[in-house]
Amino acid sequence: MTQTTLRRQELADAAIRTLARSGMRGLTHRAVDQAAGVPAGSCSYYFRTRQELLRAAVERLAELDIAEIDGRPALTGAASADRIAEALAGLIELWSADGRERMLARYELSLEAPRRPELQAALRAAGSRHRAVAAHLLTAAGAPDAAADAHAFVALLDGLLFNQLTAPDPHRLTPEQLRDSVLKLLHAFAGPRTHL
């Protein structure tokens, strides 16, 4: 990896932290420089416009998400519905704890996207891998129309993640409840004719 690539990655990570902590209004080139601990002007050198910086943050979020998805064989290979549910629940737990900053930044970007078509396009492209994984998982679970249902499945999982990130303690699901909820979703998409 080149020094330029490393610096761009470092700045994208700092942009993600800034989004999570300060929201869209707090995301400036100067704030990213400070979060990254680099000289003033570094961020604007690598990302001339705010649009370029936002795109870099989206692409970095997707890169990190995919690495974590790929690190769970039950999500990318052949697996039973039970193993898929366990792996998805574990991923949601990870993203609501260690990955909390990243997920908060992703929600900030998602809420801004309807006002910025270019950001919406970048998020849609970044999310295409999530939908492809969802289609694979639904196929493994026996869903009759996995490709068509992938978007809804991702949206429902996203709702579980949002709850884990934002709900007060007594309203968050336990790991067992989370796993059971994901398993119920898989069963619902597979339909009554399929036995998992």
Side-chain angles (χ1 to χ4, degrees), residues 40-119:
S42 297
C43 184
S44 60
Y45 175 81
Y46 288 95
F47 304 108
R48 295 267 180 223
T49 66
R50 183 177 170 92
Q51 181 178 330
E52 288 177 23
L53 181 59
L54 291 172
R55 186 178 311 120
V58 168
E59 290 170 358
R60 181 67 173 147
L61 285 168
E63 177 186 330
L64 293 167
D65 286 356
I66 295 307
E68 288 172 348
I69 289 169
D70 286 347
R72 295 174 182 267
L75 301 181
T76 56
S80 68
D82 284 336
R83 292 211 40 227
I84 292 169
E86 187 176 324
L88 283 172
L91 192 61
I92 291 170
E93 287 182 71
L94 175 70
W95 286 350
S96 62
D98 294 345
R100 181 178 179 77
E101 259 188 350
R102 286 192 355 242
M103 296 305 112
L104 292 174
R106 184 168 65 86
Y107 287 125
E108 283 287 334
L109 291 164
S110 296
L111 289 170
E112 182 69 14
R115 294 180 288 276
R116 294 175 177 264
E118 72 283 353
L119 181 56

Side-chain angles (χ1 to χ4, degrees), residues 12-46:
D13 288 340
I16 291 166
R17 287 193 304 276
T18 303
L19 280 166
R21 294 174 185 166
S22 305
M24 286 297 291
R25 289 185 183 197
L27 182 71
T28 64
H29 285 86
R30 180 178 300 177
V32 172
D33 285 337
Q34 290 173 346
V38 296
S42 297
C43 184
S44 60
Y45 175 81
Y46 288 95

